């Protein structure tokens, strides 16, 4: 039965090995490596504070050992579980495939709003990719629908439910989505949402294709609500 200090040090050493594999300068210290790599690796960025604290804990355990078999301090269970979790995320990162791979409900630009509202009512979905044949045109969300309704009710005598989706798409911003490849890690996806918010842009969904291009078949979707659940 391994002690908490042994489990902690084993996981920490494996994390250190991963960091070194990502560095050009292999002799760089652990804490410095974390700071250098955090802008390149979403998992490291997510756990930067934890990793820096664990570096101090590692030093305390290793440098203050009474002998080889006895550590002066034993990490709490929650600390050991967290460092092992970080190790798993670094060595076996969760990817959007298969977590968010699913059949996506899409519409053609010339379909009526009634068709979309029926799906909203039946399935509770509120984000829909819009196509012209096989060409991706944009993403309609509940916000765009609401904006169009407010505008359309004032300026149009056409029955609301007969409106074409191409018209409603004009009420959406063109930057409310991004395409990502199926091999994208969950933490990379999270960072995309966060980075866009930092730029004052609200991403409503990440659209998944094999290589991350809009000309490919749509394989899945990650919404901001999905990310909140993760």
């Amino acid at each position: 039965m391994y002690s908490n200090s042994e489990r902690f040090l084993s996981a920490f050493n494996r994390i250190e090995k991963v960091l070194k594999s990502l560095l050009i300068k292999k002799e760089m210290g652990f804490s410095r490596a974390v700071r250098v790599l955090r802008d390149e690796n979403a998992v490291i960025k997510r756990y930067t504070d934890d990793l820096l604290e664990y570096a101090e804990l590692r030093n305390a355990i290793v440098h203050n050992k009474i002998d080889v078999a006895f550590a002066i301090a034993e990490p709490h269970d929650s600390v050991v579980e967290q460092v092992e979790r970080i190790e798993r995320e670094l060595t076996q990162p969760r990817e959007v495939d298969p977590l968010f791979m699913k059949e996506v409900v899409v519409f053609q630009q010339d379909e009526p709003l009634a068709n979309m509202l029926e799906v909203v009512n039946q399935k509770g979905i509120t984000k829909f990719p819009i196509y012209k044949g096989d060409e991706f045109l944009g993403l309609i969300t509940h916000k765009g629908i609401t904006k169009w309704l407010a505008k359309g009710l004032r300026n149009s005598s056409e029955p609301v439910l007969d409106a074409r989706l191409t018209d409603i798409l004009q009420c959406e911003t063109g930057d409310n989505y991004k395409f990502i490849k199926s091999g994208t890690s969950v933490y990379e996806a999270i960072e995309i949402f966060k980075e866009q918010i930092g730029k004052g842009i609200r991403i409503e969904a990440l659209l998944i294709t094999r290589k991350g291009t809009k000309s490919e078949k749509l394989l899945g979707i990650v919404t901001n609500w999905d990310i909140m659940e993760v």
Side-chain angles (χ1 to χ4, degrees):
M1 189 71 178
Y2 292 106
S3 67
N4 277 5
S5 60
E6 289 173 321
R7 287 175 57 192
F8 174 86
L9 291 174
S10 293
F12 186 94
N13 290 338
R14 289 192 291 270
I15 291 173
E16 187 169 36
K17 185 176 180 180
V18 172
L19 298 190
K20 286 187 179 297
S21 72
L22 298 174
L23 290 168
I24 296 176
K25 296 181 178 179
K26 307 298 183 182
E27 70 280 3
M28 190 179 296
F30 184 91
S31 295
R32 176 61 179 160
V34 170
R35 294 187 176 95
V36 167
L37 293 170
R38 62 186 172 187
D39 291 331
E40 303 174 14
N41 186 292
V43 177
I44 296 173
K45 185 173 184 178
R46 167 65 178 82
Y47 293 112
T48 292
D49 291 341
D50 289 325
L51 290 170
L52 294 177
E53 288 182 8
Y54 295 158
E56 294 182 8
L57 178 57
R58 185 276 305 269
N59 292 340
I61 293 173
V62 172
H63 295 159
N64 295 303
K65 267 194 170 186
I66 295 175
D67 58 44
V68 175
F70 183 78
I72 196 169
E74 289 292 329
H76 191 276
D77 289 348
S78 61
V79 171
V80 175
E81 291 166 1
Q82 178 71 342
V83 74
E84 290 176 340
R85 182 181 301 111
I86 295 173
E87 182 214 340
R88 288 194 298 272
E89 292 289 357
L90 277 171
T91 57
Q92 304 173 41
R94 289 177 294 168
E95 297 181 346
V96 294
D97 179 9
L99 192 58
F100 298 110
M101 305 299 268
K102 56 192 172 185
E103 184 175 356
V104 183
V105 178
V106 303
F107 286 95
Q108 291 293 317
Q109 63 163 355
D110 57 356
E111 291 189 64
L113 175 59
N115 291 4
M116 182 174 288
L117 292 180
E118 184 177 355
V119 174
V120 172
N121 182 52
Q122 291 180 352
K123 299 186 177 182
I125 301 172
T126 59
K127 296 173 176 62
F128 303 95
I130 306 301
Y131 284 81
K132 179 181 179 181
D134 294 329
E135 178 188 358
F136 176 81
L137 298 181
L139 184 75
I140 287 181
T141 70
H142 61 291
K143 293 180 182 178
I145 295 173
T146 302
K147 185 176 180 180
W148 182 88
L149 285 172
K151 178 181 177 181
L153 289 176
R154 291 197 310 268
N155 304 326
S156 177
S157 58
E158 179 185 5
V160 170
L161 296 182
D162 291 340
R164 301 297 105 173
L165 296 181
T166 186
D167 296 326
I168 297 168
L169 190 59
Q170 304 309 309
C171 291
E172 293 283 1
T173 61
D175 53 7
N176 65 349
Y177 65 88
K178 277 189 175 296
F179 279 85
I180 59 173
K181 61 184 179 181
S182 57
T184 302
S185 76
V186 171
Y187 283 112
E188 287 178 287
I190 292 173
E191 285 303 315
I192 291 173
F193 280 102
K194 290 170 65 177
E195 287 171 2
Q196 294 303 305
I197 289 175
K199 297 176 182 177
I201 302 171
R202 182 180 174 84
I203 292 289
E204 297 289 344
L206 302 177
L207 304 173
I208 306 169
T209 60
R210 190 170 69 87
K211 295 182 180 179
T213 64
K214 65 181 182 180
S215 60
E216 299 175 283
K217 179 182 177 181
L218 199 56
L219 301 176
I221 185 171
V222 187
T223 69
N224 42 15
W225 288 106
D226 294 328
I227 288 299
M228 289 176 65
E229 291 179 0
V230 171

